[in-house]
Amino acid sequence: MAFHFFSNIFSIYLILISAFFITISAKFSEQFAQMEAMPSVNKMTHLHFYFHDIIGGKNPSVYYIFRGKNNVGTTAMIDDPLTEGTEHGSKIVGRAQGMYSFPTKTEPALLMVINFSFLEGIYNGSTISILGRNPVLQKVREMPIVGGTGMFRFSHGYALAKTAHFNPKNGDAVVEYDVYVMHF
Ligand SMILES: *[C@@H]1O[C@H](CO)[C@@H](O)[C@H](O)[C@H]1NC(C)=O
Ligand SMILES: *[C@@H]1O[C@H](CO)[C@@H](O)[C@H](O)[C@H]1NC(C)=O
């Protein structure tokens, strides 16, 4: 009798435990059929802006955290303004925050790990993330957009970068960006 009682308690215990784990795993991951989860229209957005890499002067936006021999491994953190026009005083539409680094000895190609965080209109607060190779001496460099937040959730796409101005004296550069992103 006592044994029966305990075995009943034990099976209730097992049922509760397994119910607990089933609930947990159901919360941990859920799958949706694509149709119900996402709006059916995929949008393509084109963004155009200028990226200001300010190295010289009193107020730089680039901070070198390591300078390697012959530039190999040279790494900088940046918080660069993104503007509507090419001039430094032009309206700010966002900031480029992240880092770049020179992994190569041969062609100067930056590894870019940068978030573009936008401040303008409906994109205020939204970000896109770039992770790519930027061979800075080439006329047009293409880099992948690997994701985004806010308006740019689920985004993927590419960026085309072209140097608009370069000051060889202090290294300041203005780079024109055309970004094409698909998102929902
Ligand atoms: C870039 O964005 C990602 C995803 O939102 C975040 O995890 C990361 O900390 C951001 N990095 C910088 C430098 O802002
Ligand atoms: C962007 O959003 C921030 C925070 O909500 C706000 O302070 C700022 O005024 C907004 N900027 C523009 C241009 O709407």
Side-chain angles (χ1 to χ4, degrees), residues 77-78 97-99 113-117 127-129 148-149:
M77 293 298 298
I78 64 163
Q97 296 170 329
M99 54 181 281
V113 185
I114 295 175
N115 290 333
F116 287 165
S117 163
T127 68
I128 54 173
S129 301
T149 64

Side-chain angles (χ1 to χ4, degrees), residues 33-160:
Q34 192 166 2
M35 294 298 284
E36 62 186 83
M38 291 173 182
S40 56
V41 184
N42 231 337
K43 290 193 271 289
M44 161 80 98
T45 298
H46 171 214
L47 302 165
H48 177 259
F49 51 82
Y50 293 87
F51 169 108
H52 297 256
D53 226 17
I54 308 162
I55 294 167
K58 270 189 236 131
N59 210 355
S61 63
V62 177
Y63 307 89
Y64 282 94
I65 52 180
F66 178 73
R67 281 187 189 267
K69 200 173 157 208
N70 301 326
N71 260 345
V72 178
T74 291
T75 300
M77 293 298 298
I78 64 163
D79 184 2
D80 283 1
L82 303 174
T83 64
E84 207 168 55
T86 173
E87 327 77 54
H88 279 311
S90 172
K91 184 180 177 193
I92 293 185
V93 294
R95 304 199 71 84
Q97 296 170 329
M99 54 181 281
Y100 56 66
S101 144
F102 277 103
T104 58
K105 228 185 254 183
T106 51
E107 188 189 13
L110 294 172
L111 161 68
M112 309 273 282
V113 185
I114 295 175
N115 290 333
F116 287 165
S117 163
F118 297 103
L119 300 164
E120 181 60 15
I122 53 168
Y123 303 110
N124 191 3
S126 297
T127 68
I128 54 173
S129 301
I130 283 198
L131 175 63
R133 178 176 185 269
N134 183 1
V136 288
L137 298 182
Q138 288 183 15
K139 200 163 173 226
V140 183
R141 289 90 68 183
E142 180 177 345
M143 287 167 275
I145 306 294
V146 295
T149 64
M151 289 288 287
F152 296 120
R153 279 181 185 173
F154 289 112
S155 76
H156 53 278
Y158 64 96
L160 299 177

Side-chain angles (χ1 to χ4, degrees), residues 7-28:
S7 87
N8 271 346
I9 293 275
F10 189 60
S11 23
I12 289 168
Y13 185 60
L14 276 187
I15 288 165
L16 285 178
I17 289 274
S18 48
F20 180 72
F21 279 106
I22 288 162
T23 317
I24 291 280
S25 60
K27 278 191 180 147
F28 168 64

